[in-house]
Amino acid sequence: MASHMTSPSPVGSFDHALLAHGPSHLRSELVDSDYSHSSYSESESTAASSVDEMRTHRPLPVGVYVPTVCFFEEGSEDLDVDTIAKHAVRLAQAGVAGIATQGSNGEAVHLTHKERKIVTSVTRKALNEAGFSSMPVIVGCGTQSTRETIELCCDAAHSGGDYALVLPPSYYKGNYNPDSVINFFEDVADASPIPILIYNYPAAVSGTDLDSDAIIKLSAHPNIVGCKLTCGNTGKLNRIAAATQAATLTDSGSGFMCMGGSADFTLQMLVGGGSGVICGLGNVVPKACVEIFEVYRSGDLTKALKLQQVVARGDWAAIAGGIVGTKSGLQTYFGYGGFGRKPLPRPTQEEAEKHAEAFKEIVALENSL
């Protein structure tokens, strides 16, 4: 198959992509965009969204990627840009390979387009200023229409994002024909100024579950460079990784990134020829998630298995508690996290204690590293 190594986007440059594909109203917005939000303004984001950065994208190394939590001010629910920035740097310092904004953990569905741009720009700027300018940022861009998804991809590029993570549409699932979802991804990939990764997460899209044949077919597109399999199907991951010659810890292969969507099958992913994980648990315990990679790399499979067992139990705390539990765990053990935007509930004291107990073992591992 065609190589997915670190080539520039096939459109050649960000500016040409917008002129050729971007919606007309978006082209003008990207010239005169207003990022101001509370104390954060676009003038502060120069390092994050320069024209030079938008012309190319940073490579995706094999490893752990964290879909970052979004943080809000107490009471007003405005974006807490200081905590967003500090959290991104904490993850980078823990050794993760990259960061994803606007995912489920990032409450993308609770954010306006303007807020999405701010979160990505703040994240990119914080990483640059902390010495992590080479760390890639993936941006969740999936929505229901092809047009809006392309718009979000353009916003992501303008805000300093390197890649777009795209869910399949699902609202009108009953009206789609067999080619609708394939055409959706191809149309988005044709127009996006940054490469895209396919996000297979059936629970979030009315049960739509892309099979390995569909993802392998889409992988032939030069602007589709990977996938995230939150379906948890290791057989599907094996088939896609083999067919695409996916990057692994020991072989860069074609450069295609075949990634798991949760920390609880990190080791299985590595053994099966995968390229990494994009895991929400990493918000709480990034070092523990990275440690499985390092131990596996060293060849100590027995130790890696024991670590995976602890991480899997910790991941269940994150999965069962959702974003409410993840933020609660962050608040209890690391002193920040806060609450989700309404209508997400705030945990009671009893619920917070249960979340803390569920994370206790994995946080102990984190603190030992």
Side-chain angles (χ1 to χ4, degrees), residues 227-268:
C227 59
K228 175 186 179 184
L229 303 178
T230 307
C231 54
N233 188 326
T234 53
K236 182 185 296 184
L237 183 144
N238 296 155
R239 291 188 293 274
I240 296 169
T244 61
Q245 300 174 42
T248 69
L249 276 175
T250 58
D251 186 353
S252 58
S254 69
F256 189 86
M257 297 293 287
C258 186
M259 296 195 278
S262 59
D264 62 1
F265 73 117
T266 301
L267 184 58
Q268 300 93 309

Side-chain angles (χ1 to χ4, degrees), residues 35-313:
Y35 280 65
S36 60
H37 192 283
S38 299
S39 61
Y40 187 81
S41 66
E42 185 176 12
S43 63
E44 297 177 90
S45 68
T46 304
S49 57
S50 68
V51 172
D52 287 342
E53 283 195 12
M54 291 187 290
R55 290 184 185 277
T56 59
H57 52 271
R58 296 163 182 82
L60 290 171
V62 171
V64 173
Y65 292 74
V66 180
T68 55
V69 170
C70 189
F71 302 97
F72 305 103
E73 299 282 359
E74 177 73 17
S76 69
E77 293 193 349
D78 288 340
L79 293 178
D80 181 352
V81 294
D82 289 340
T83 303
I84 290 168
K86 290 175 183 176
H87 183 63
V89 173
R90 177 195 167 216
L91 301 180
Q93 291 173 337
V96 303
I99 285 175
T101 62
Q102 319 309 328
S104 302
N105 280 274
E107 295 183 57
V109 295
H110 288 167
L111 305 180
T112 66
H113 280 212
K114 180 178 177 180
E115 288 175 323
R116 285 175 176 238
K117 290 188 286 185
I118 291 171
V119 170
T120 300
S121 186
V122 167
T123 299
R124 178 74 271 160
K125 181 173 183 284
L127 292 173
N128 289 356
E129 292 181 348
F132 298 97
S133 59
S134 64
M135 179 169 287
V137 173
I138 302 169
V139 184
C141 294
T143 188
Q144 295 305 311
S145 74
T146 302
R147 180 183 177 88
E148 187 181 11
T149 301
I150 293 169
E151 181 174 334
L152 289 176
C153 291
C154 292
D155 285 350
H158 183 73
S159 305
D162 298 290
Y163 300 84
L165 182 63
V166 180
L167 283 162
S170 61
Y171 190 84
Y172 293 112
K173 179 181 176 180
N175 294 126
Y176 294 157
N177 63 43
D179 295 324
S180 295
V181 172
I182 295 292
N183 292 340
F184 166 82
F185 278 106
E186 291 177 337
D187 289 343
V188 171
D190 284 344
S192 175
I194 52 178
I196 71 170
L197 294 91
I198 299 164
Y199 189 3
N200 192 56
Y201 186 11
V205 287
S206 304
T208 299
D209 189 1
L210 297 175
D211 61 28
S212 54
D213 290 341
I215 295 175
I216 291 167
K217 177 180 179 180
L218 287 167
S219 74
H221 194 291
N223 210 28
I224 296 178
V225 299
C227 59
K228 175 186 179 184
L229 303 178
T230 307
C231 54
N233 188 326
T234 53
K236 182 185 296 184
L237 183 144
N238 296 155
R239 291 188 293 274
I240 296 169
T244 61
Q245 300 174 42
T248 69
L249 276 175
T250 58
D251 186 353
S252 58
S254 69
F256 189 86
M257 297 293 287
C258 186
M259 296 195 278
S262 59
D264 62 1
F265 73 117
T266 301
L267 184 58
Q268 300 93 309
M269 174 277 303
L270 288 168
V271 172
S275 311
V277 290
I278 304 177
C279 58
L281 180 65
N283 282 289
V284 183
V285 289
K287 293 179 183 178
C289 295
V290 171
E291 185 70 3
I292 295 177
F293 273 78
E294 297 308 315
V295 172
Y296 181 80
R297 192 197 306 268
S298 75
D300 191 341
L301 189 59
T302 299
K303 184 177 179 181
L305 178 58
K306 290 179 179 178
L307 281 170
Q308 179 63 78
Q309 292 167 348
V310 176
V311 168
R313 289 192 289 270

Side-chain angles (χ1 to χ4, degrees), residues 10 29-30 48 94-95 126 181 236 259 268 292 315 320 322 341 350 361:
E29 282 182 12
L30 288 172
V181 172
K236 182 185 296 184
M259 296 195 278
Q268 300 93 309
I292 295 177
D315 203 27
R341 269 188 174 167
E350 181 181 357
E361 180 188 29

